[in-house]
Amino acid sequence: MKLNERIDRHVVGTTLNPVLVKGFFQTPPHYYQWGLSHQIDQRSLDQLNATDLFEFYLRFYLTSRHKTLQAVLREVRVFAQKDANAAHHLIVYSLEDTRQHLLSLEWYELLPRLELAKEHALALAPDVADQLRPRIIGCLEASY
């Protein structure tokens, strides 16, 4: 299905702005690019790249390009195996950022899918006791 057809299917009979919805569909990964532009260390760049992959597949799931969470959860598992603490915190950050984006678009019907994705993702990347939130998140919050 072509992008414009997919958007038309989502916005028909709603107050959704097709231009903003198209922007959500086409938003490229941005965390890694942000890290490059801010010249952060390689470990943090790897974490941001993993966050981009997670968010990429999350958007596919939210917009029904993928019917299941399989790809999203695969990326969570890989990220959590490499760095469980960063995975938890960056996935939480990405989920909240996505939630705010959906709310700004008034795309409320996708929120239940987001909550389901959150529940499953955080089961695979739970909060690690006695671990601090990565500093990179504070930098992201200040920039966005």
Side-chain angles (χ1 to χ4, degrees), residues 36-81:
L36 286 175
S37 69
H38 286 81
Q39 301 176 344
I40 63 169
D41 62 279
Q42 187 59 49
R43 182 171 187 247
S44 296
L45 280 175
D46 292 342
Q47 293 168 347
L48 294 175
N49 188 49
T51 307
D52 275 338
L53 284 169
F54 164 77
E55 194 169 289
F56 176 78
Y57 288 111
L58 177 65
R59 285 174 184 244
F60 273 23
Y61 170 71
L62 292 175
T63 57
S64 298
R65 288 180 81 183
H66 288 172
K67 300 294 183 202
T68 69
L69 280 166
Q70 183 178 359
V72 174
L73 299 180
R74 178 187 64 234
E75 294 306 322
V76 172
R77 279 188 211 92
V78 169
F79 193 2
Q81 286 174 348

Side-chain angles (χ1 to χ4, degrees), residues 88-105:
H88 172 79
H89 290 287
L90 284 163
I91 287 170
V92 167
Y93 180 85
S94 175
L95 287 164
E96 183 55 31
D97 186 56
T98 301
R99 182 178 182 279
Q100 291 304 316
H101 197 159
L102 292 175
L103 290 173
S104 72
L105 290 172

Side-chain angles (χ1 to χ4, degrees), residues 26-37:
Q26 293 181 318
T27 302
H30 55 100
Y31 296 115
Y32 185 80
Q33 282 303 116
W34 176 89
L36 286 175
S37 69

